[in-house]
């Protein structure tokens, strides 16, 4: 049904939109990582985009604390019919909501086919109304990405323009590179102006170029630029919709990690 908060045209576009949502693994850096991540999510939501947060971060990095939400209700709860997918969506003003997925991210490679299909069906239900799915990941997890982060076609590092933000961003990028990630989008928040934000990015990009060798794509400032448009450009230039449609297909392969490793194929890798 059409959300009464939308105008009729926007509601119809959403109902009949064939393209699946843009899926992005999000890493926020700096002194207040959860706040930075939430700020980026609201900016991506922008003018009527429907953003769903899959939150696999825990402790201080989790979005639950800054949003005043309970930590329970993990996506793993869909197994055995304990919860429906929609019941697990926690309300977030301005966004579709937040779904905790930390336990599910750990368990997914160990699930049998029937249980894995149950989780994937829940994700299909959750993504239908979404324009964007942001997988909120802890910086420390970047060296060993979860199935959700690994299956995401895009990776975004939101760097706070501070000493700790720069240090965190470099470490996250280094860890992602060690895990086999390719190019990364970078957005800057908290800069004093465009010149400072640009200088911050160029300094980080040069450091990464010299010591890591991973290309960084400048997405802009969280406070001033259209982040959603920048994140969508790659899909338009490549095969249309295929990267997003591949998200669930790639997640489905994680049940075969152990069998694949035994056969010498190893686990799924980054695009």
């Amino acid at each position: 049904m059409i959300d009464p908060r939308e105008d009729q045209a926007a509601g119809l576009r959403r109902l009949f939109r064939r393209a699946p949502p843009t899926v992005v693994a999000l890493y926020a850096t700096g002194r207040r990582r959860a706040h930075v991540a939430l700020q980026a999510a609201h900016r991506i939501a922008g003018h009527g985009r429907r953003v769903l947060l899959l939150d696999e971060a825990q402790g201080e990095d989790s979005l639950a604390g800054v949003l005043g939400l309970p930590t329970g209700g993990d996506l793993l709860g869909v197994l055995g019919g304990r919860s429906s997918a929609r019941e697990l969506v926690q309300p977030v003003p301005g966004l579709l909501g937040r779904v905790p997925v930390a336990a599910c991210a750990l368990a997914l490679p160990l699930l049998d086919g029937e249980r894995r299909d149950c989780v994937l069906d829940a994700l299909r239900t959750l993504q239908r109304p979404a324009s964007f799915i942001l997988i909120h990941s802890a910086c420390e997890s970047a060296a060993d990405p979860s199935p959700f982060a690994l299956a995401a076609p895009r990776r975004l590092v939101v760097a706070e323009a501070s000493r700790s933000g720069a240090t965190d961003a470099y470490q996250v990028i280094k860890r992602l590179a060690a895990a086999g990630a390719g190019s990364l989008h970078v957005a800057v928040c908290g800069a004093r102006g465009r010149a400072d934000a640009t200088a911050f990015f160029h300094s980080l990009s040069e450091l990464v170029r010299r010591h890591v060798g991973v290309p960084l794509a400048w997405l802009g400032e969280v406070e001033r630029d259209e982040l959603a448009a920048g994140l969508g450009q790659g899909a338009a230039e490549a095969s249309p919709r295929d990267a997003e449609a591949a998200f669930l297909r790639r997640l489905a392969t994680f049940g075969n990690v152990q069998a694949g490793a035994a056969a010498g194929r190893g686990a799924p890798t980054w695009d």
Side-chain angles (χ1 to χ4, degrees):
M1 90 185 262
I2 298 176
D3 190 322
R5 293 170 296 181
E6 297 177 313
D7 61 40
Q8 188 177 35
L12 289 171
R13 283 195 301 270
R14 178 176 63 81
L15 283 174
F16 294 102
R17 175 171 49 82
R18 294 183 179 180
T22 300
V23 183
V24 183
L26 170 65
Y27 298 86
T29 77
R31 293 160 294 190
R32 302 200 304 166
R33 296 177 182 176
H35 286 83
V36 169
L38 192 58
Q39 184 180 4
H42 279 289
R43 186 63 179 177
I44 290 170
H47 303 291
R49 294 183 184 88
R50 301 167 66 84
V51 174
L52 178 69
L53 295 163
L54 300 184
D55 191 5
E56 62 179 32
Q58 302 182 72
E60 292 183 357
D61 286 338
S62 170
L63 298 175
V66 68
L67 290 169
L69 295 171
T71 56
D74 193 275
L75 182 60
L76 205 59
V78 299
L79 299 183
R82 289 174 288 169
S83 302
S84 72
R86 290 188 175 91
E87 288 173 341
L88 295 173
V89 180
Q90 299 174 326
V92 177
L95 307 176
L96 275 180
R98 167 189 180 261
V99 178
V101 297
C104 191
L106 290 172
L108 189 62
L110 305 176
L111 298 179
D112 60 29
E114 183 179 353
R115 289 179 174 85
R116 187 171 67 253
D117 288 345
C118 182
V119 170
L120 295 179
D121 285 342
L123 284 169
R124 288 188 187 96
T125 298
L126 292 173
Q127 79 170 16
R128 281 190 194 112
S131 302
F132 277 80
I133 292 179
L134 301 182
I135 301 158
H136 176 236
S137 305
C139 294
E140 289 73 19
S141 72
D144 185 20
S146 75
F148 293 106
L150 197 57
R154 293 166 184 75
R155 293 157 291 282
L156 169 62
V157 177
V158 183
E160 180 187 73
S162 66
R163 183 183 297 272
S164 63
T167 301
D168 286 350
Y170 176 73
Q171 290 299 327
V172 167
I173 293 166
K174 186 176 179 180
R175 290 168 183 150
L176 288 172
S183 62
L184 304 165
H185 283 96
V186 175
V188 174
C189 73
R192 288 176 290 185
R194 175 69 75 185
D196 284 344
T198 303
F200 180 94
F201 172 77
H202 285 313
S203 177
L204 176 64
S205 182
E206 178 60 20
L207 183 65
V208 169
R209 186 191 65 79
R210 285 190 281 112
H211 296 286
V212 182
V214 173
L216 302 182
W218 166 243
L219 199 59
E221 293 181 81
V222 171
E223 297 87 350
R224 299 174 180 86
D225 292 316
E226 182 56 73
L227 304 185
L231 285 168
Q233 283 179 358
E237 294 168 0
S239 53
R241 300 203 304 266
D242 185 64
E244 320 313 339
F247 174 62
L248 292 179
R249 290 201 302 270
R250 299 194 73 199
L251 276 178
T253 68
F254 280 90
N256 301 318
V257 167
Q258 292 175 329
R265 294 191 299 272
T269 56
W270 300 96
D271 282 333

Short mmCIF file of all heavy atoms in Angstrom, two decimals, residues 206-262:
data_model
loop_
_atom_site.label_atom_id
_atom_site.label_comp_id
_atom_site.label_asym_id
_atom_site.label_seq_id
_atom_site.Cartn_x
_atom_site.Cartn_y
_atom_site.Cartn_z
N GLU A 206 46.26 10.42 -0.89
CA GLU A 206 47.69 10.30 -1.19
C GLU A 206 48.35 9.28 -0.27
O GLU A 206 49.18 8.48 -0.70
CB GLU A 206 48.36 11.66 -1.05
CG GLU A 206 49.87 11.66 -1.29
CD GLU A 206 50.26 11.19 -2.69
OE1 GLU A 206 49.41 11.23 -3.60
OE2 GLU A 206 51.43 10.79 -2.86
N LEU A 207 47.99 9.31 1.02
CA LEU A 207 48.53 8.34 1.97
C LEU A 207 48.15 6.91 1.57
O LEU A 207 48.99 6.00 1.59
CB LEU A 207 48.01 8.65 3.38
CG LEU A 207 48.53 7.78 4.52
CD1 LEU A 207 50.02 7.99 4.72
CD2 LEU A 207 47.77 8.08 5.81
N VAL A 208 46.90 6.73 1.19
CA VAL A 208 46.42 5.40 0.78
C VAL A 208 47.10 4.97 -0.51
O VAL A 208 47.49 3.80 -0.66
CB VAL A 208 44.89 5.41 0.63
CG1 VAL A 208 44.40 4.14 -0.06
CG2 VAL A 208 44.22 5.57 1.99
N ARG A 209 47.27 5.89 -1.44
CA ARG A 209 47.92 5.55 -2.71
C ARG A 209 49.34 5.05 -2.50
O ARG A 209 49.77 4.07 -3.11
CB ARG A 209 47.95 6.78 -3.64
CG ARG A 209 48.48 6.49 -5.04
CD ARG A 209 48.73 7.77 -5.81
NE ARG A 209 49.79 8.57 -5.22
CZ ARG A 209 51.10 8.31 -5.37
NH1 ARG A 209 51.50 7.28 -6.10
NH2 ARG A 209 52.00 9.09 -4.80
N ARG A 210 50.06 5.72 -1.60
CA ARG A 210 51.47 5.36 -1.37
C ARG A 210 51.64 4.07 -0.58
O ARG A 210 52.57 3.30 -0.83
CB ARG A 210 52.19 6.51 -0.65
CG ARG A 210 52.50 7.70 -1.55
CD ARG A 210 53.42 8.71 -0.90
NE ARG A 210 52.69 9.56 0.05
CZ ARG A 210 52.86 9.53 1.36
NH1 ARG A 210 53.72 8.68 1.90
NH2 ARG A 210 52.18 10.34 2.15
N HIS A 211 50.76 3.83 0.38
CA HIS A 211 50.99 2.72 1.31
C HIS A 211 50.03 1.55 1.15
O HIS A 211 50.31 0.46 1.64
CB HIS A 211 50.92 3.23 2.75
CG HIS A 211 51.98 4.22 3.09
ND1 HIS A 211 53.31 3.88 3.28
CD2 HIS A 211 51.91 5.57 3.25
CE1 HIS A 211 54.01 4.96 3.56
NE2 HIS A 211 53.19 6.01 3.54
N VAL A 212 48.90 1.76 0.49
CA VAL A 212 47.91 0.69 0.38
C VAL A 212 47.64 0.33 -1.07
O VAL A 212 47.53 -0.84 -1.43
CB VAL A 212 46.58 1.09 1.08
CG1 VAL A 212 45.57 -0.06 1.01
CG2 VAL A 212 46.83 1.48 2.54
N GLY A 213 47.51 1.33 -1.93
CA GLY A 213 47.32 1.08 -3.35
C GLY A 213 45.89 0.84 -3.77
O GLY A 213 45.64 0.28 -4.84
N VAL A 214 44.93 1.26 -2.94
CA VAL A 214 43.51 1.12 -3.28
C VAL A 214 42.97 2.47 -3.74
O VAL A 214 43.15 3.48 -3.04
CB VAL A 214 42.70 0.63 -2.06
CG1 VAL A 214 41.20 0.65 -2.37
CG2 VAL A 214 43.13 -0.77 -1.67
N PRO A 215 42.31 2.54 -4.90
CA PRO A 215 41.77 3.83 -5.36
C PRO A 215 40.59 4.28 -4.51
O PRO A 215 39.74 3.48 -4.12
CB PRO A 215 41.34 3.54 -6.80
CG PRO A 215 41.10 2.07 -6.83
CD PRO A 215 42.07 1.46 -5.86
N LEU A 216 40.55 5.58 -4.22
CA LEU A 216 39.45 6.17 -3.46
C LEU A 216 38.64 7.08 -4.38
O LEU A 216 39.20 7.89 -5.11
CB LEU A 216 39.98 6.99 -2.28
CG LEU A 216 40.87 6.27 -1.26
CD1 LEU A 216 41.25 7.21 -0.13
CD2 LEU A 216 40.17 5.03 -0.71
N ALA A 217 37.33 6.96 -4.30
CA ALA A 217 36.43 7.81 -5.10
C ALA A 217 35.83 8.87 -4.17
O ALA A 217 35.19 8.53 -3.17
CB ALA A 217 35.33 6.97 -5.74
N TRP A 218 36.03 10.13 -4.50
CA TRP A 218 35.53 11.25 -3.70
C TRP A 218 34.02 11.36 -3.88
O TRP A 218 33.52 11.61 -4.97
CB TRP A 218 36.24 12.52 -4.15
CG TRP A 218 35.67 13.82 -3.69
CD1 TRP A 218 35.15 14.81 -4.47
CD2 TRP A 218 35.58 14.31 -2.34
NE1 TRP A 218 34.75 15.87 -3.70
CE2 TRP A 218 35.00 15.60 -2.39
CE3 TRP A 218 35.94 13.79 -1.10
CZ2 TRP A 218 34.76 16.36 -1.26
CZ3 TRP A 218 35.70 14.53 0.03
CH2 TRP A 218 35.14 15.81 -0.05
N LEU A 219 33.28 11.20 -2.79
CA LEU A 219 31.83 11.28 -2.84
C LEU A 219 31.33 12.66 -2.44
O LEU A 219 30.23 13.06 -2.82
CB LEU A 219 31.21 10.21 -1.94
CG LEU A 219 29.75 9.85 -2.19
CD1 LEU A 219 29.57 9.33 -3.61
CD2 LEU A 219 29.28 8.79 -1.19
N GLY A 220 32.14 13.38 -1.66
CA GLY A 220 31.77 14.74 -1.27
C GLY A 220 31.63 14.90 0.23
O GLY A 220 32.08 14.06 1.02
N GLU A 221 31.00 16.00 0.63
CA GLU A 221 30.77 16.30 2.03
C GLU A 221 29.38 15.85 2.44
O GLU A 221 28.41 16.08 1.72
CB GLU A 221 30.90 17.80 2.29
CG GLU A 221 32.29 18.36 2.10
CD GLU A 221 32.31 19.86 2.40
OE1 GLU A 221 32.37 20.21 3.59
OE2 GLU A 221 32.25 20.64 1.44
N VAL A 222 29.29 15.25 3.61
CA VAL A 222 28.01 14.78 4.10
C VAL A 222 27.02 15.94 4.24
O VAL A 222 25.84 15.82 3.91
CB VAL A 222 28.18 14.06 5.46
CG1 VAL A 222 26.83 13.75 6.10
CG2 VAL A 222 28.99 12.78 5.27
N GLU A 223 27.51 17.09 4.70
CA GLU A 223 26.62 18.21 4.98
C GLU A 223 26.16 18.95 3.71
O GLU A 223 25.16 19.68 3.75
CB GLU A 223 27.30 19.22 5.90
CG GLU A 223 27.64 18.69 7.28
CD GLU A 223 29.00 18.00 7.33
OE1 GLU A 223 29.59 17.76 6.25
OE2 GLU A 223 29.47 17.69 8.44
N ARG A 224 26.88 18.80 2.60
CA ARG A 224 26.61 19.67 1.44
C ARG A 224 26.32 18.96 0.13
O ARG A 224 25.75 19.56 -0.77
CB ARG A 224 27.81 20.62 1.23
CG ARG A 224 28.09 21.54 2.41
CD ARG A 224 29.37 22.34 2.20
NE ARG A 224 29.62 23.21 3.34
CZ ARG A 224 30.26 22.84 4.44
NH1 ARG A 224 30.72 21.60 4.53
NH2 ARG A 224 30.45 23.68 5.44
N ASP A 225 26.71 17.71 0.00
CA ASP A 225 26.64 17.05 -1.31
C ASP A 225 25.58 15.95 -1.36
O ASP A 225 25.16 15.42 -0.34
CB ASP A 225 28.01 16.48 -1.69
CG ASP A 225 29.03 17.58 -1.96
OD1 ASP A 225 28.67 18.56 -2.66
OD2 ASP A 225 30.16 17.48 -1.47
N GLU A 226 25.20 15.60 -2.58
CA GLU A 226 24.19 14.59 -2.84
C GLU A 226 24.87 13.23 -2.87
O GLU A 226 25.32 12.76 -3.92
CB GLU A 226 23.49 14.88 -4.17
CG GLU A 226 22.37 13.93 -4.54
CD GLU A 226 21.30 13.86 -3.47
OE1 GLU A 226 20.53 14.82 -3.31
OE2 GLU A 226 21.27 12.82 -2.79
N LEU A 227 24.97 12.58 -1.72
CA LEU A 227 25.70 11.31 -1.61
C LEU A 227 25.02 10.20 -2.40
O LEU A 227 25.69 9.36 -3.00
CB LEU A 227 25.83 10.90 -0.15
CG LEU A 227 26.49 11.90 0.81
CD1 LEU A 227 26.66 11.25 2.18
CD2 LEU A 227 27.83 12.38 0.28
N ALA A 228 23.69 10.19 -2.41
CA ALA A 228 22.96 9.11 -3.08
C ALA A 228 23.27 9.08 -4.57
O ALA A 228 23.46 8.01 -5.16
CB ALA A 228 21.47 9.29 -2.85
N ALA A 229 23.34 10.24 -5.21
CA ALA A 229 23.62 10.29 -6.64
C ALA A 229 25.00 9.73 -6.94
O ALA A 229 25.19 8.98 -7.90
CB ALA A 229 23.50 11.72 -7.14
N GLY A 230 25.97 10.08 -6.12
CA GLY A 230 27.32 9.57 -6.33
C GLY A 230 27.42 8.07 -6.16
O GLY A 230 28.12 7.39 -6.92
N LEU A 231 26.71 7.54 -5.18
CA LEU A 231 26.75 6.09 -4.95
C LEU A 231 26.09 5.33 -6.09
O LEU A 231 26.43 4.18 -6.36
CB LEU A 231 26.06 5.75 -3.63
CG LEU A 231 26.83 6.08 -2.36
CD1 LEU A 231 25.93 5.97 -1.15
CD2 LEU A 231 28.05 5.18 -2.22
N GLY A 232 25.12 5.96 -6.76
CA GLY A 232 24.40 5.28 -7.83
C GLY A 232 25.09 5.33 -9.17
O GLY A 232 24.70 4.60 -10.08
N GLN A 233 26.11 6.17 -9.32
CA GLN A 233 26.73 6.34 -10.63
C GLN A 233 27.41 5.08 -11.13
O GLN A 233 27.36 4.76 -12.30
CB GLN A 233 27.75 7.49 -10.58
CG GLN A 233 27.09 8.86 -10.61
CD GLN A 233 28.11 9.98 -10.54
OE1 GLN A 233 29.31 9.73 -10.44
NE2 GLN A 233 27.62 11.19 -10.58
N GLY A 234 28.06 4.35 -10.22
CA GLY A 234 28.78 3.15 -10.64
C GLY A 234 27.87 2.13 -11.28
O GLY A 234 28.22 1.49 -12.27
N ALA A 235 26.67 1.97 -10.73
CA ALA A 235 25.73 0.98 -11.28
C ALA A 235 25.27 1.39 -12.67
O ALA A 235 25.09 0.56 -13.55
CB ALA A 235 24.53 0.83 -10.36
N ALA A 236 25.10 2.69 -12.87
CA ALA A 236 24.64 3.16 -14.18
C ALA A 236 25.71 2.94 -15.24
O ALA A 236 25.40 2.65 -16.39
CB ALA A 236 24.27 4.64 -14.09
N GLU A 237 26.97 3.07 -14.83
CA GLU A 237 28.05 2.92 -15.79
C GLU A 237 28.36 1.45 -16.07
O GLU A 237 28.88 1.10 -17.11
CB GLU A 237 29.31 3.61 -15.25
CG GLU A 237 29.15 5.13 -15.16
CD GLU A 237 30.27 5.76 -14.37
OE1 GLU A 237 31.15 5.02 -13.91
OE2 GLU A 237 30.27 7.00 -14.22
N ALA A 238 28.04 0.57 -15.11
CA ALA A 238 28.29 -0.86 -15.30
C ALA A 238 27.03 -1.52 -15.83
O ALA A 238 26.29 -0.94 -16.60
CB ALA A 238 28.74 -1.47 -13.98
N SER A 239 26.79 -2.77 -15.43
CA SER A 239 25.59 -3.45 -15.90
C SER A 239 24.40 -3.00 -15.05
O SER A 239 24.45 -3.08 -13.84
CB SER A 239 25.77 -4.97 -15.77
OG SER A 239 26.17 -5.30 -14.46
N PRO A 240 23.33 -2.50 -15.67
CA PRO A 240 22.22 -1.94 -14.91
C PRO A 240 21.55 -2.96 -14.01
O PRO A 240 21.20 -4.05 -14.44
CB PRO A 240 21.26 -1.44 -15.99
CG PRO A 240 21.63 -2.21 -17.20
CD PRO A 240 23.10 -2.48 -17.10
N ARG A 241 21.43 -2.61 -12.73
CA ARG A 241 20.72 -3.36 -11.71
C ARG A 241 21.39 -4.66 -11.31
O ARG A 241 21.02 -5.28 -10.32
CB ARG A 241 19.28 -3.65 -12.14
CG ARG A 241 18.44 -2.42 -12.40
CD ARG A 241 16.96 -2.71 -12.27
NE ARG A 241 16.50 -3.77 -13.13
CZ ARG A 241 15.98 -3.58 -14.35
NH1 ARG A 241 15.88 -2.37 -14.83
NH2 ARG A 241 15.57 -4.59 -15.06
N ASP A 242 22.38 -5.14 -12.08
CA ASP A 242 22.93 -6.46 -11.81
C ASP A 242 23.64 -6.51 -10.47
O ASP A 242 23.53 -7.49 -9.72
CB ASP A 242 23.88 -6.88 -12.92
CG ASP A 242 24.36 -8.31 -12.72
OD1 ASP A 242 23.51 -9.22 -12.76
OD2 ASP A 242 25.56 -8.51 -12.48
N ALA A 243 24.39 -5.44 -10.13
CA ALA A 243 25.14 -5.44 -8.88
C ALA A 243 24.21 -5.55 -7.69
O ALA A 243 24.48 -6.27 -6.73
CB ALA A 243 26.00 -4.18 -8.78
N GLU A 244 23.08 -4.82 -7.73
CA GLU A 244 22.15 -4.87 -6.60
C GLU A 244 21.45 -6.22 -6.53
O GLU A 244 21.25 -6.79 -5.47
CB GLU A 244 21.11 -3.75 -6.71
CG GLU A 244 21.63 -2.41 -7.18
CD GLU A 244 22.90 -1.95 -6.48
OE1 GLU A 244 23.21 -2.41 -5.38
OE2 GLU A 244 23.60 -1.11 -7.06
N ALA A 245 21.03 -6.73 -7.67
CA ALA A 245 20.36 -8.02 -7.69
C ALA A 245 21.28 -9.12 -7.21
O ALA A 245 20.83 -10.14 -6.68
CB ALA A 245 19.86 -8.33 -9.11
N ALA A 246 22.59 -8.92 -7.37
CA ALA A 246 23.57 -9.92 -6.97
C ALA A 246 23.73 -10.01 -5.46
O ALA A 246 24.28 -10.99 -4.96
CB ALA A 246 24.92 -9.61 -7.61
N PHE A 247 23.25 -9.01 -4.70
CA PHE A 247 23.45 -9.00 -3.25
C PHE A 247 22.91 -10.26 -2.60
O PHE A 247 23.63 -10.97 -1.87
CB PHE A 247 22.79 -7.75 -2.66
CG PHE A 247 22.81 -7.70 -1.15
CD1 PHE A 247 24.02 -7.65 -0.47
CD2 PHE A 247 21.63 -7.70 -0.43
CE1 PHE A 247 24.05 -7.59 0.91
CE2 PHE A 247 21.65 -7.64 0.96
CZ PHE A 247 22.86 -7.58 1.63
N LEU A 248 21.65 -10.61 -2.87
CA LEU A 248 21.07 -11.80 -2.25
C LEU A 248 21.67 -13.07 -2.83
O LEU A 248 21.84 -14.06 -2.12
CB LEU A 248 19.56 -11.80 -2.43
CG LEU A 248 18.80 -10.72 -1.64
CD1 LEU A 248 17.31 -10.81 -1.93
CD2 LEU A 248 19.06 -10.84 -0.15
N ARG A 249 22.01 -13.05 -4.13
CA ARG A 249 22.64 -14.24 -4.71
C ARG A 249 23.98 -14.52 -4.05
O ARG A 249 24.33 -15.67 -3.79
CB ARG A 249 22.84 -14.04 -6.22
CG ARG A 249 21.55 -14.03 -7.03
CD ARG A 249 21.83 -14.34 -8.49
NE ARG A 249 22.78 -13.41 -9.09
CZ ARG A 249 22.43 -12.29 -9.70
NH1 ARG A 249 21.16 -11.94 -9.77
NH2 ARG A 249 23.34 -11.50 -10.24
N ARG A 250 24.73 -13.47 -3.76
CA ARG A 250 26.04 -13.67 -3.13
C ARG A 250 25.87 -14.13 -1.68
O ARG A 250 26.64 -14.97 -1.20
CB ARG A 250 26.86 -12.39 -3.19
CG ARG A 250 27.15 -11.92 -4.61
CD ARG A 250 28.22 -10.87 -4.62
NE ARG A 250 29.51 -11.45 -4.34
CZ ARG A 250 30.57 -10.75 -3.92
NH1 ARG A 250 30.46 -9.47 -3.69
NH2 ARG A 250 31.72 -11.34 -3.70
N LEU A 251 24.89 -13.58 -0.98
CA LEU A 251 24.64 -14.04 0.38
C LEU A 251 24.29 -15.53 0.40
O LEU A 251 24.68 -16.25 1.32
CB LEU A 251 23.49 -13.24 1.01
CG LEU A 251 23.85 -11.90 1.65
CD1 LEU A 251 22.58 -11.23 2.18
CD2 LEU A 251 24.86 -12.07 2.77
N ALA A 252 23.58 -15.97 -0.61
CA ALA A 252 23.18 -17.38 -0.65
C ALA A 252 24.37 -18.32 -0.74
O ALA A 252 24.29 -19.47 -0.31
CB ALA A 252 22.24 -17.62 -1.84
N THR A 253 25.50 -17.85 -1.26
CA THR A 253 26.67 -18.72 -1.41
C THR A 253 27.38 -18.97 -0.10
O THR A 253 28.21 -19.89 -0.01
CB THR A 253 27.69 -18.12 -2.40
OG1 THR A 253 28.27 -16.94 -1.83
CG2 THR A 253 27.02 -17.77 -3.72
N PHE A 254 27.10 -18.19 0.94
CA PHE A 254 27.87 -18.32 2.17
C PHE A 254 27.57 -19.61 2.91
O PHE A 254 28.33 -20.02 3.77
CB PHE A 254 27.65 -17.11 3.07
CG PHE A 254 28.47 -15.94 2.66
CD1 PHE A 254 27.97 -15.01 1.76
CD2 PHE A 254 29.75 -15.77 3.12
CE1 PHE A 254 28.73 -13.94 1.34
CE2 PHE A 254 30.52 -14.70 2.71
CZ PHE A 254 30.01 -13.78 1.82
N GLY A 255 26.47 -20.27 2.60
CA GLY A 255 26.23 -21.57 3.20
C GLY A 255 27.16 -22.62 2.66
O GLY A 255 27.27 -23.70 3.23
N ASN A 256 27.83 -22.31 1.54
CA ASN A 256 28.73 -23.28 0.92
C ASN A 256 30.20 -22.96 1.19
O ASN A 256 31.08 -23.51 0.55
CB ASN A 256 28.50 -23.31 -0.60
CG ASN A 256 27.08 -23.66 -0.95
OD1 ASN A 256 26.52 -24.55 -0.33
ND2 ASN A 256 26.50 -22.96 -1.91
N VAL A 257 30.45 -22.05 2.17
CA VAL A 257 31.84 -21.67 2.45
C VAL A 257 32.68 -22.86 2.86
O VAL A 257 33.78 -23.09 2.35
CB VAL A 257 31.88 -20.59 3.55
CG1 VAL A 257 33.29 -20.41 4.07
CG2 VAL A 257 31.37 -19.27 2.99
N GLN A 258 32.16 -23.66 3.81
CA GLN A 258 32.96 -24.78 4.29
C GLN A 258 33.18 -25.81 3.19
O GLN A 258 34.28 -26.32 3.01
CB GLN A 258 32.27 -25.41 5.49
CG GLN A 258 32.26 -24.50 6.72
CD GLN A 258 31.48 -25.10 7.87
OE1 GLN A 258 30.51 -25.82 7.66
NE2 GLN A 258 31.90 -24.79 9.08
N ALA A 259 32.11 -26.11 2.43
CA ALA A 259 32.26 -27.07 1.34
C ALA A 259 33.21 -26.55 0.28
O ALA A 259 34.04 -27.29 -0.26
CB ALA A 259 30.90 -27.38 0.71
N GLY A 260 33.12 -25.26 -0.02
CA GLY A 260 34.00 -24.67 -1.03
C GLY A 260 35.45 -24.70 -0.60
O GLY A 260 36.35 -24.98 -1.38
N ALA A 261 35.69 -24.40 0.70
CA ALA A 261 37.06 -24.41 1.20
C ALA A 261 37.63 -25.82 1.12
O ALA A 261 38.79 -26.04 0.78
CB ALA A 261 37.09 -23.90 2.64
N ALA A 262 36.79 -26.82 1.43
CA ALA A 262 37.26 -28.20 1.40
C ALA A 262 37.62 -28.63 -0.03
O ALA A 262 38.51 -29.44 -0.25
CB ALA A 262 36.19 -29.14 1.95
#
